[in-house]
């Protein structure tokens, strides 16, 4: 989707729809809810994935041309309705097409957010492990200390930006931030939201600031996230990482 409503990206792109829930962060998955609401039974290990045609795949090259014409890079969140690094034979070929698309759109910074960072190094093209494209950012979701192993796996990858999504935040976390460039934090939204303790957000901000890591506080969450807003101690924190190409 061009001009995404997600604040920390410009566009979103989904190579396919569908996934498997793997941790408590997935319990109230907005993507699963949206897929079911629109009549697509694509969630679960044995469910088919939803793939798209040529017109869909022509969008990122168009965004790349626009970015090149303006001389302004654009960020693309991939994939909001799936996980690029899911272990599923049905998506292997499409994942390879995605990697080719990423290499062909150098004015787009591709944000690959996964809950399966241990799969990154064995699923990306072999040359990416040592010389990744300068427009690839790898990220992982960590909702509580139980999943800090994901950060450790992310730290083993090679990318110009490595980032963490602490959303939905479900517990206080002491962050290992070596080699991390960006920490995105936020509370859960929706009818079944689990509340966030302000102390967790202050702790995340303070740890990021002390480590020189950009901090982006997305929202407090709740039933009506816009009402709750995103101010933390009287200001908004919308920092972006500095990219060394």
């Amino acid at each position: 989707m061009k001009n995404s409503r997600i604040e920390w990206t410009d566009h979103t792109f989904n190579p396919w729809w569908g996934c498997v829930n793997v941790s408590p962060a997935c319990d109230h998955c907005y993507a699963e809810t949206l897929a079911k609401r629109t009549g697509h039974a694509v969630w679960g290990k044995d469910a088919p994935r939803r793939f798209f045609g040529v017109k869909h795949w022509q969008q990122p090259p168009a965004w790349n041309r626009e970015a090149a014409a303006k001389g302004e890079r654009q960020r693309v969140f991939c994939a909001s309705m799936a996980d690029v690094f899911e272990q599923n034979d049905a998506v292997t070929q499409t994942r390879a097409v995605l990697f080719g698309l990423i290499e062909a759109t150098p004015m787009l910074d591709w944000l690959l957010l996964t809950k399966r960072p241990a799969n990154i190094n064995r699923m990306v093209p072999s040359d990416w492990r040592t010389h990744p494209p300068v427009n690839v950012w790898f990220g992982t979701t960590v909702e509580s200390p139980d999943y800090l192993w994901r950060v450790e796996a992310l730290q083993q990858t090679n990318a110009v930006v490595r980032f963490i999504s602490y959303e939905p935040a479900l517990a206080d976390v002491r962050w290992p931030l070596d080699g991390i460039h960006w920490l995105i934090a936020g509370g859960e939204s929706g009818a079944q939201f689990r509340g966030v303790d302000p102390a967790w957000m202050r702790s995340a901000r303070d740890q990021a600031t002390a480590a020189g890591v950009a901090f982006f506080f997305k929202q407090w969450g709740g039933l009506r996230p816009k009402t709750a807003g995103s101010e933390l101690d009287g200001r908004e924190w919308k920092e972006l990482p500095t990219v060394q190409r």
Side-chain angles (χ1 to χ4, degrees):
M1 181 176 68
K2 185 177 182 180
N3 300 324
S4 174
R5 289 179 293 178
I6 300 172
E7 292 178 282
W8 43 263
T9 190
D10 297 300
H11 315 299
T12 57
F13 180 78
N14 284 284
W16 62 83
W17 277 22
C19 197
V20 179
N21 295 348
V22 293
S23 71
C26 304
D27 288 353
H28 307 144
C29 178
Y30 73 89
E32 179 181 10
T33 300
L34 177 59
K36 290 179 178 178
R37 186 186 306 149
T38 54
H40 299 286
V42 294
W43 238 257
K45 180 181 178 181
D46 298 321
R49 299 295 178 254
R50 181 189 181 196
F51 297 99
F52 302 94
V54 172
K55 186 176 181 180
H56 179 79
W57 286 85
Q58 290 174 339
Q59 294 178 72
W63 303 338
N64 186 72
R65 290 191 295 271
E66 291 177 7
K70 294 179 180 178
E72 298 177 358
R73 305 190 64 79
Q74 300 281 284
R75 293 182 300 278
V76 179
F77 171 29
C78 179
S80 62
M81 296 292 295
D83 191 321
V84 170
F85 298 103
E86 176 191 4
Q87 180 65 48
N88 185 329
D89 291 343
V91 305
T92 301
Q93 181 177 353
T94 304
R95 182 166 48 230
V97 174
L98 171 66
F99 293 152
L101 176 64
I102 291 172
E103 293 182 342
T105 52
M107 285 298 290
L108 304 180
D109 290 321
W110 288 81
L111 283 60
L112 306 184
L113 177 63
T114 180
K115 293 185 178 70
R116 300 162 173 84
N119 289 344
I120 293 175
N121 281 335
R122 64 187 185 85
M123 290 185 175
V124 297
S126 58
D127 58 319
W128 284 27
R129 297 167 199 159
T130 53
H131 297 89
V134 296
N135 63 332
V136 172
W137 301 12
F138 289 140
T140 193
T141 298
V142 175
E143 64 268 38
S144 73
D146 292 339
Y147 295 91
L148 282 175
W149 63 266
R150 291 177 181 160
V151 178
E152 296 170 3
L154 181 67
Q155 289 166 326
Q156 301 305 310
T157 66
N158 198 358
V160 296
V161 171
R162 287 178 290 271
F163 67 99
I164 297 168
S165 176
Y166 178 34
E167 187 183 13
L170 301 181
D172 191 24
V173 178
R174 301 304 301 175
W175 295 101
L177 294 175
D178 288 347
I180 303 300
H181 305 93
W182 196 21
L183 177 59
I184 302 168
E188 190 170 38
S189 60
Q192 297 177 293
F193 76 93
R194 291 162 284 187
V196 60
D197 188 329
W200 305 346
M201 297 296 99
R202 292 190 179 100
S203 176
R205 175 202 59 197
D206 294 347
Q207 291 179 66
T209 300
V213 172
F215 180 69
F216 193 107
F217 179 49
K218 182 183 174 185
Q219 63 180 23
W220 287 108
L223 184 59
R224 296 177 178 83
K226 290 185 179 180
T227 300
S230 59
E231 283 196 1
L232 175 59
D233 293 334
R235 61 160 285 190
E236 291 191 328
W237 298 80
K238 306 294 183 183
E239 297 175 348
L240 297 173
T242 300
V243 182
Q244 302 293 334
R245 301 188 191 280

